[in-house]
Amino acid sequence: MSRRIFRYVAFSIVQDATAEPEYAARCVSGDESECGAESGVGHHPAVVEEWQRRHAQETRHVRYRRNFADYAVMEPPDGLPVELQPARVARVRA
């Protein structure tokens, strides 16, 4: 059996469709110290934006640090033989 080594294959990095992205915000308003109130994690930016609006309405705070996180997967190029493609991992949405 012969062995071949591929030094470079142009994979694409794409968002993992099996995992939901996460959005969050923290209030950093304040002169000497930050407020520190947090939105918690949401799976859509509108949820976090609504929390920001309500918090601003209650406190008049207008400065927030927003965070976004997602999962990425490496997709092989079309035409890559199946035996050379990476193993797939099945994920269950929570």
Side-chain angles (χ1 to χ4, degrees), residues 70-81:
D70 71 342
Y71 292 88
V73 293
M74 305 288 289
E75 292 287 335
D78 290 336
L80 188 65

Side-chain angles (χ1 to χ4, degrees), residues 29-87:
S29 295
D31 293 329
E32 294 184 23
S33 64
E34 296 178 357
C35 168
E38 296 183 351
S39 67
V41 174
H43 294 290
H44 193 277
V47 174
V48 175
E49 290 166 3
E50 181 58 29
W51 175 85
Q52 286 178 260
R53 282 194 267 300
R54 283 193 323 272
H55 186 72
Q57 202 171 34
E58 295 167 3
T59 63
R60 305 264 190 242
H61 293 167
V62 294
R63 191 160 187 263
Y64 299 86
R65 170 149 174 94
R66 299 186 305 173
N67 296 303
F68 167 77
D70 71 342
Y71 292 88
V73 293
M74 305 288 289
E75 292 287 335
D78 290 336
L80 188 65
V82 175
E83 62 272 7
L84 298 177
Q85 293 185 13

Side-chain angles (χ1 to χ4, degrees), residues 81-93:
V82 175
E83 62 272 7
L84 298 177
Q85 293 185 13
R88 297 266 180 198
V89 177
R91 290 187 183 86
V92 178
R93 281 190 155 163

